Amino acid sequence: MSFEEFGLSPELMSGLADVRIEEPTPLQTEVIPPALQGRHMLVKHEAGDDGVFLIPALQKLTSNGEVSGIRVLILTPSIERVKEIDEKVWAMGYHAQISSAALSMKGIRTAQEEAIKDGAPVVVANPGRLIEILDKNKLKLPKVDLVIIDEAHGMENYNLVNRVKDIMQLTEGEPQTLIFSESNNKATQQLSSAFLKDPVVHGFDESNVKEATSDSDSDSGQKSEAKEESKEQTSDQQEQEAEDFELDQEEVNRKLAEASVSVVLNPEENKEEEEKEDEQEAKADSDNEKEPTVPEDLTQAYIYVPPRAKISTLLAHLEDTLTDKIVVFAASKRTTDRLFRIIRKKGWGVVSINEGLKQEYYDERFGKFTSGDMKILLVGGLSATEIELNEVKQVINYDVPNEVEEYKYRAELVGNGKAARMVSLVSKMDKDDIDEIVKKVGYAPTEIPLPEEVKEKKGRSKKSDKKDKSSKKKSSNKNKKSKNDDRDRKRRKKPKEKKSANGLPRPSYDGLSGGKEGDSNGKRPSPSKSDGAFGWIKKLFN
């Protein structure tokens, strides 16, 4: 079977070609057709073949024309999976211009809130972070057509099943639900019974799953019926009690006076006061969650770095200020890898973490830094919000952040004390970013002079450049002189003899034997033996 048989849009087909997905896997062949038909599904699935749920999700978006608001919601318990799935959505949906938002527990929450409010068509989220944002902003999900629960077996930890249920309560309507799980554990069973209706089951015992979902439906029906019966009985009982009871107002007043109970005479005014108190509490909570600020007593500094001297400047600065707990932020994993190789040779004790690093390696390296075994932590491509550190002695911005908020978050990592500070290495390319940071923060960092050894190195480099230029100039002059000498020598050569009209050289008659003579009668003399060759030539030209 081919993707053309699924009726996929040309834009999605182009996206699949970009990521080198040429033909459907056996699992995709089984799952995609019923998913495109709108069926609920429970699928046994291991991470790796994400196209099995992304292809039908993106096809739904491309076939519905222009869409607005969140239409596809993908929930996963793993922070790494959020990033991985979001990147695949971007790559596969590029030609269809499908945007997505990633909401992980380690991301910047303010930016994630804006993404939710903007209404990206696809949202990939950790349940905990999503419900946190929805609750705080009092938002609902009114337009969601498809909910995908990835790695449902992993929802067993951290009370995530209940978080998913809370999210589904804020999802209006009855969206199609696809659940993918490695095992039919307790979490998978709870999610299946709660959200799947007449599902297509693949890879699990279908009878057990359908029995569980049908039991859930019948239980909910029985509960609703019992609830209605209970309401009716309660109502009848209250009416009967009202008929049998006669209020003795004097007795009530006497008992209230004895108990010193204050009676609310105007409940509406009391309700307004309660609402005001709630607003004040909400405002206080909001104030506690304000954007980070850079304290004025924090030592901020920068070093203006000349071209091609950033690494040497960093090394010289580290050597001058080497203490425990130094965090160096770089823009990418590639940069931290290079810095790690160089700094490790110094023997200062360094570890590096970056986006995409496996959790076990992340924990191991991060633990070495927090325990004090390593002095320097290199961070590549991660936000300061993703690093759980209370205080460090020095933060170094090897690459100046292009967002002011990130600069502030990094400042929050710096602890109190005379040695605590944040230093930025500012190159010509970073000037605009640092200017914007200074403008937003309100006060400028102080400049630290370029380390002496870097100055000396740059000085030697300049002298070397001058020598090279001088040598090149001399060589160039020498070549020019040599060319001129050759030209002069050519000019001094004896000029060539002029040629006659027929191309033969004109002879010098004075140099020929016999001169230019004739007989007394003016006749040409006849050649004689004594004349020889010269005589013959003389007669020829005469």
Side-chain angles (χ1 to χ4, degrees):
M1 196 170 189
S2 64
F3 285 121
E4 286 79 3
E5 296 178 59
F6 294 149
L8 303 183
S9 68
E11 294 84 2
L12 182 54
M13 291 293 292
S14 298
L16 295 178
D18 288 346
V19 296
R20 299 182 180 180
I21 298 178
E22 299 175 353
E23 57 183 20
T25 63
L27 183 61
Q28 291 173 5
T29 303
E30 296 291 333
V31 172
I32 290 177
L36 291 175
Q37 293 169 6
R39 297 290 301 275
H40 288 235
M41 299 190 73
L42 172 63
V43 179
K44 187 171 185 180
H45 170 260
E46 295 182 2
D49 186 6
D50 297 333
V52 73
F53 57 80
L54 288 181
I55 291 173
L58 298 179
Q59 174 60 22
K60 281 180 175 290
L61 292 174
T62 56
S63 60
N64 291 337
E66 187 175 351
V67 296
S68 61
I70 301 169
R71 295 304 182 92
V72 176
L73 179 60
I74 304 175
L75 302 175
T76 181
S78 167
I79 292 172
E80 290 76 17
R81 287 285 289 162
V82 169
K83 185 175 184 298
E84 182 181 346
I85 295 172
D86 177 62
E87 289 177 348
K88 289 182 180 178
V89 170
W90 180 86
M92 295 168 65
Y94 176 79
H95 295 280
Q97 297 183 351
I98 296 174
S99 60
S100 62
L103 279 64
S104 73
M105 294 302 293
K106 285 188 175 181
I108 300 174
R109 191 174 65 181
T110 53
Q112 294 173 355
E113 287 177 358
E114 291 301 320
I116 287 292
K117 291 175 183 177
D118 289 344
V122 181
V123 170
V124 187
N126 293 141
R129 177 51 59 89
L130 178 58
I131 193 63
E132 177 184 332
I133 292 174
L134 295 176
D135 284 346
K136 180 190 172 186
N137 296 277
K138 297 181 180 179
L139 298 174
K140 291 188 177 182
L141 303 170
K143 297 182 180 181
V144 173
D145 301 320
L146 174 63
V147 176
I148 297 169
I149 301 177
D150 171 62
E151 293 190 347
H153 58 279
M155 300 289 186
E156 201 165 25
N157 303 321
Y158 307 110
N159 198 31
L160 293 181
V161 171
N162 289 332
R163 300 284 180 90
V164 174
K165 290 181 178 179
D166 292 339
I167 292 169
M168 295 297 283
Q169 286 181 354
L170 298 174
T171 305
E172 299 177 2
E174 296 182 355
Q176 176 189 1
T177 305
L178 308 178
I179 298 178
F180 296 83
S181 179
E182 287 186 6
S183 63
N184 194 18
N185 62 355
K186 186 178 179 181
T188 305
Q189 292 173 6
Q190 289 175 337
L191 294 170
S192 300
S193 62
F195 306 124
L196 297 183
K197 295 179 180 179
D198 188 25
V200 175
V201 182
H202 186 277
F204 295 113
D205 189 343
E206 187 173 352
S207 60
N208 292 340
V209 174
K210 290 195 173 183
E211 184 179 349
T213 54
S214 62
D215 289 345
S216 174
D217 293 339
S218 62
D219 289 345
S220 61
Q222 291 174 1
K223 286 179 182 178
S224 61
E225 290 176 5
K227 191 174 182 181
E228 291 297 327
E229 290 178 3
S230 175
K231 283 183 180 179
E232 292 176 2
Q233 292 176 0
T234 303
S235 178
D236 294 340
Q237 185 177 358
Q238 288 175 347
E239 289 177 2
Q240 185 64 37
E241 289 176 352
E243 292 176 0
D244 296 340
F245 179 73
E246 292 182 3
L247 182 63
D248 186 345
Q249 188 62 45
E250 292 182 0
E251 182 68 16
V252 171
N253 292 338
R254 184 182 63 81
K255 289 185 176 181
L256 286 175
E258 290 177 356
S260 300
V261 177
S262 60
V263 181
V264 178
L265 298 178
N266 194 341
E268 292 183 359
E269 290 182 2
N270 189 60
K271 186 177 181 181
E272 290 178 0
E273 291 179 1
E274 289 179 355
E275 289 177 352
K276 286 181 180 179
E277 290 178 359
D278 291 341
E279 288 179 2
Q280 290 175 353
E281 290 178 2
K283 187 178 180 181
D285 293 339
S286 176
D287 291 340
N288 291 333
E289 294 180 352
K290 280 183 179 178
E291 294 180 355
T293 57
V294 179
E296 292 188 18
D297 58 351
L298 171 67
T299 302
Q300 295 180 80
Y302 73 94
I303 304 174
Y304 183 74
V305 182
R308 300 186 300 277
K310 216 169 195 181
I311 291 179
S312 57
T313 302
L314 173 67
L315 294 176
H317 177 73
L318 285 174
E319 193 162 10
D320 293 340
T321 62
L322 193 60
T323 60
D324 292 333
K325 291 193 175 180
I326 298 175
V327 179
V328 181
F329 283 95
S332 66
K333 174 183 179 298
R334 182 179 179 181
T335 303
T336 53
D337 288 346
R338 186 180 181 189
L339 293 177
F340 175 78
R341 290 193 294 269
I342 296 170
I343 296 175
R344 183 177 57 179
K345 294 178 181 178
K346 297 283 186 178
W348 292 339
V350 60
V351 289
S352 68
I353 58 175
N354 51 70
E355 55 180 349
L357 186 65
K358 288 186 177 180
Q359 193 64 40
E360 56 183 306
Y361 298 136
Y362 181 98
D363 294 340
E364 179 187 356
R365 297 177 186 181
F366 193 71
K368 287 181 178 179
F369 177 73
T370 54
S371 66
D373 291 341
M374 297 293 172
K375 293 181 177 182
I376 303 169
L377 176 66
L378 302 175
V379 181
L382 291 174
S383 168
T385 59
E386 301 177 60
I387 305 172
E388 297 178 2
L389 283 173
N390 293 326
E391 114 181 10
V392 296
K393 294 300 179 186
Q394 185 174 200
V395 167
I396 299 176
N397 296 317
Y398 183 83
D399 293 312
V400 177
N402 52 18
E403 294 180 0
V404 179
E405 296 303 317
E406 177 60 22
Y407 184 88
K408 294 178 180 179
Y409 284 125
R410 294 180 186 181
E412 286 187 340
L413 295 178
V414 183
N416 297 322
K418 294 181 180 179
R421 64 176 173 177
M422 180 161 67
V423 178
S424 301
L425 305 186
V426 180
S427 65
K428 187 177 180 180
M429 295 177 63
D430 300 319
K431 189 177 184 304
D432 291 341
D433 292 328
I434 200 70
D435 288 346
E436 183 68 16
I437 289 169
V438 170
K439 180 180 176 183
K440 293 290 181 67
V441 172
Y443 42 93
T446 57
E447 183 176 2
I448 297 176
L450 192 68
E452 289 299 326
E453 61 183 271
V454 180
K455 287 182 182 178
E456 293 174 3
K457 185 177 179 182
K458 293 301 292 181
R460 290 194 298 269
S461 177
K462 286 182 180 179
K463 288 181 181 178
S464 176
D465 290 342
K466 286 182 180 179
K467 287 182 180 178
D468 291 342
K469 288 180 181 178
S470 176
S471 174
K472 288 179 181 178
K473 189 174 181 180
K474 288 180 180 179
S475 176
S476 176
N477 291 337
K478 186 175 181 181
N479 291 335
K480 286 181 181 178
K481 187 176 179 182
S482 176
K483 289 179 181 178
N484 292 334
D485 291 344
D486 292 341
R487 199 177 291 117
D488 292 339
R489 280 196 295 271
K490 288 179 181 177
R491 286 176 184 156
R492 288 195 298 269
K493 284 184 178 180
K494 184 177 179 181
K496 292 181 179 179
E497 296 175 340
K498 294 182 180 179
K499 294 184 179 180
S500 64
N502 59 5
L504 294 174
R506 291 185 181 273
S508 175
Y509 295 106
D510 296 335
L512 292 177
S513 174
K516 190 177 180 182
E517 297 179 353
D519 59 8
S520 59
N521 297 327
K523 296 180 180 178
R524 294 178 182 176
S526 59
S528 62
K529 291 181 181 178
S530 61
D531 292 333
F534 288 107
W536 179 83
I537 292 173
K538 181 177 71 173
K539 292 182 176 66
L540 174 66
F541 283 97
N542 286 336

